[in-house]
Amino acid sequence: MTTGSGVVAFGVPPEVAFDYLADPRNRPAWQSSLSRVEAVTGEPRIGQRWVDVTRPGLRPSMETTELDRPHRWAEIGRWRGVRAALALTFVAAEPGCEVVFEFTVEGDGTFRPLGAVLTRVAVPAVRADLRRAAGILAS
């Protein structure tokens, strides 16, 4: 399994960044691949579910797997034989915080060889999306 990672600076406290990023209803504003989210079940919590509707038309089922405000949040998305996991760790830093991300794609069967490739390809997009979120929160 290949994991991609990185760090993005946010000019807001960890609590502000956490609350914004952990709420799937905010995602279409900062995640470039999304057109919308659907079927959000309640407020952010472990076990919260929703469906990402991507611009290519894929509809992965998403679930929050970790939520330790304001320190760590994680999700898993499933679509056919592919699983994508994203974990965000929030670290206080002047003048706000750093968001450390870890991202992994795994596949079953014929999708298995694509996991490492998709992980590497997606890391720059994850970083760019988090930078977009930091910009939104800074304004």
Side-chain angles (χ1 to χ4, degrees), residues 5-18 21 30 70-73 86-93 96-102 126-127 130-131 133-134 137:
S5 62
V7 179
V8 176
F10 278 66
V12 297
E15 295 82 2
V16 174
F18 183 97
L21 294 171
W30 60 268
H71 307 289
R72 189 164 166 88
W73 173 88
L86 173 66
L88 304 176
T89 302
F90 299 80
V91 180
C97 69
E98 293 181 337
V99 176
V100 180
F101 69 89
E102 300 168 86
V126 172
R127 181 178 289 108
L130 288 172
R131 285 181 179 152
L137 290 175

Side-chain angles (χ1 to χ4, degrees), residues 59-121:
R59 300 172 63 88
S61 299
M62 308 297 294
E63 180 180 356
T64 299
T65 57
E66 287 184 60
L67 192 143
D68 177 19
R69 183 182 188 269
H71 307 289
R72 189 164 166 88
W73 173 88
E75 70 178 15
I76 189 162
R78 295 176 179 91
W79 179 79
R80 300 191 182 192
V82 178
R83 291 169 309 286
L86 173 66
L88 304 176
T89 302
F90 299 80
V91 180
E94 290 301 323
C97 69
E98 293 181 337
V99 176
V100 180
F101 69 89
E102 300 168 86
F103 182 76
T104 303
V105 179
E106 295 178 288
D108 295 330
T110 58
F111 292 111
R112 180 166 284 142
L114 294 175
V117 173
L118 292 174
T119 297
R120 281 189 214 99
V121 168

Side-chain angles (χ1 to χ4, degrees), residues 35-48:
S35 60
R36 66 185 182 280
V37 296
E38 297 178 342
V40 178
T41 60
E43 296 303 311
R45 60 179 164 66
I46 293 175
Q48 181 185 37

